[in-house]
Amino acid sequence: MSRNAKINTLLLLLVAALAVLPLALGLGEGKEEPFAGADGQAEAAITEMRPDYEPWFSPLYEPPSAEVESALFALQAALGAGVLAYYFGVRRGRRQGARAAAAAAPDAES
Amino acid sequence: MHIAEGFLPPLHAAAWGVASAPFVVHGARALTREVKANPESTLLLGASGAFTFVLSALKIPSVTGSCSHPTGTGLGAILFRPPVMAVLGTVTLLFQALLLAHGGLTTLGANVFSMAVAGPWAGYGVYRLLKKSDVPLMVSVFFGAFFADLVTYCVTSVQLALAFPDPAGGVAGALAKFGGIFALTQLPLAVSEGLLTVLVMRLLMQSSKADLIRLGVAKLTASREATAR
């Protein structure tokens, strides 16, 4: 593995460790809902502070179940990852093409 | 950082909408100008938007025992400057508001302001400051992305504190409460986002050095990344 690839792998491992450590250390223990979303907690805090507050608008479309919602989140991530992969694929192909052309050019002249 | 649909009083929702609109309009102009002037940027612009799409879909556990997600706006802000990110961030937020019931149309202005305006500008500012001093490029990139992420959540906390002051502690008390929910949770995630942005920037250094030079991110000479390969 090149030095570059090693650094990149290390970066990924660090990110994975940061995500897994809170789970492994059980930091969600003692909570009513371990590892709930912060957005939802903020909503709960609002209703707790201002029990009289009524949301005055509701979403036009709401995923009918947690499964459908997670599917749509996965779709969002997949779309993004797909475009990113396409970008790096195109770039790699162009570089290889340029290299091949450069290697072939001297032969064509002689 | 998504304030749920209907969870800001109408006056606040409208005010944040008015505050965000000029940034998005200005951003849309900057975006079309960039695409017209440099058609070869389109692909990288798409990749920057895609990075935000991926990162804001990932809910990651944090030290506070709750989950939150990165924003992915630092990368685009560093590459194309913050105005462009105002547009790309708004697209992401619209997708989530319309399809996922995550965030909302009435709170779109507030969410755009935190994630697509304040975050990118803060991150870009930190990146530029560090770049002027003599630190390695990747250090500037890391802290740029770190602050773009963290500031977004701090702004959300302020927005909620202004709208819902604590009956006992006032705005400051509410800020402490919402900050505890958002900012603290976000710290390790901001580190993750910094690391991931550095990773993508390193890959771009390998694959698209010419673009990075044109965008003023990389310099022609000083690049250990290029020679190390």
Side-chain angles (χ1 to χ4, degrees):
Chain A
M1 222 199 284
S2 72
R3 178 171 169 272
N4 240 332
K6 266 185 206 152
I7 296 177
N8 291 348
T9 315
L10 185 70
L11 284 170
L12 278 176
L13 284 176
L14 272 173
V15 172
L18 273 171
V20 171
L21 270 179
L23 294 172
L25 296 176
L27 293 175
E29 272 166 33
K31 292 213 161 197
E32 266 174 54
E33 251 189 290
F35 297 109
D39 291 344
Q41 288 184 331
E43 267 175 61
I46 292 170
T47 30
E48 193 186 300
M49 274 196 292
R50 294 269 302 272
D52 55 319
Y53 185 80
E54 283 282 331
W56 54 282
F57 200 80
S58 44
L60 300 177
Y61 167 79
E62 222 163 334
S65 73
E67 281 74 13
V68 177
E69 191 188 349
S70 68
L72 286 168
F73 265 109
L75 177 71
Q76 186 193 331
L79 280 174
V83 172
L84 273 175
Y86 175 79
Y87 175 83
F88 283 110
V90 166
R91 283 294 167 173
R92 192 186 168 88
R94 271 193 206 158
R95 260 185 316 162
Q96 281 174 345
R99 222 173 285 155
D107 297 344
E109 270 172 38
S110 62
Chain B
M1 44 63 62
H2 293 81
I3 302 177
E5 185 78 281
F7 264 86
L8 275 185
L11 198 68
H12 284 257
W16 288 114
V18 169
S20 295
F23 286 97
V24 178
V25 172
H26 172 231
R29 284 210 198 118
L31 184 66
T32 34
R33 211 180 313 128
E34 172 70 26
V35 170
K36 253 188 210 148
N38 303 298
E40 69 272 25
S41 280
T42 317
L43 211 54
L44 190 54
L45 276 166
S48 307
F51 189 66
T52 296
F53 244 63
V54 180
L55 258 62
S56 64
L58 296 179
K59 292 179 187 171
I60 302 171
S62 175
V63 283
T64 47
S66 51
C67 277
S68 187
H69 60 84
T71 62
T73 54
L75 179 72
I78 290 170
L79 288 175
F80 291 105
R81 300 190 12 94
V84 167
M85 218 48 229
V87 182
L88 299 180
T90 303
V91 171
T92 310
L93 287 166
L94 255 181
F95 179 93
Q96 294 183 318
L98 290 175
L99 283 180
L100 299 162
H102 206 63
L105 293 178
T106 59
T107 50
L108 186 66
N111 290 334
V112 165
F113 195 86
S114 62
M115 182 174 132
V117 176
W121 273 108
Y124 182 71
V126 169
Y127 161 77
R128 286 302 297 259
L129 269 179
L130 284 174
K131 214 175 167 226
K132 270 190 193 144
S133 57
D134 212 14
V135 296
L137 172 65
M138 288 306 165
V139 174
S140 324
V141 169
F142 174 85
F143 283 105
F146 176 87
F147 279 103
D149 184 311
L150 195 60
V151 166
T152 299
Y153 281 80
C154 293
V155 170
T156 305
S157 306
V158 172
Q159 289 170 329
L160 286 175
L162 287 175
F164 301 100
D166 193 66
V171 173
L175 186 58
K177 197 173 239 169
F178 290 119
I181 293 174
F182 282 122
L184 215 58
T185 306
Q186 204 59 25
L187 270 175
L189 296 196
V191 173
S192 293
E193 168 151 9
L195 294 173
L196 283 173
T197 307
V198 166
L199 174 66
V200 171
M201 198 62 94
R202 287 173 54 81
L203 294 174
L204 287 175
M205 276 287 194
Q206 290 172 26
S207 74
S208 325
K209 188 87 192 291
D211 283 338
L212 294 189
I213 292 171
R214 182 174 55 77
L215 293 166
V217 176
K219 280 195 217 102
L220 247 176
T221 47
S223 160
R224 279 177 296 153
E225 277 80 6
T227 46
R229 272 193 315 127

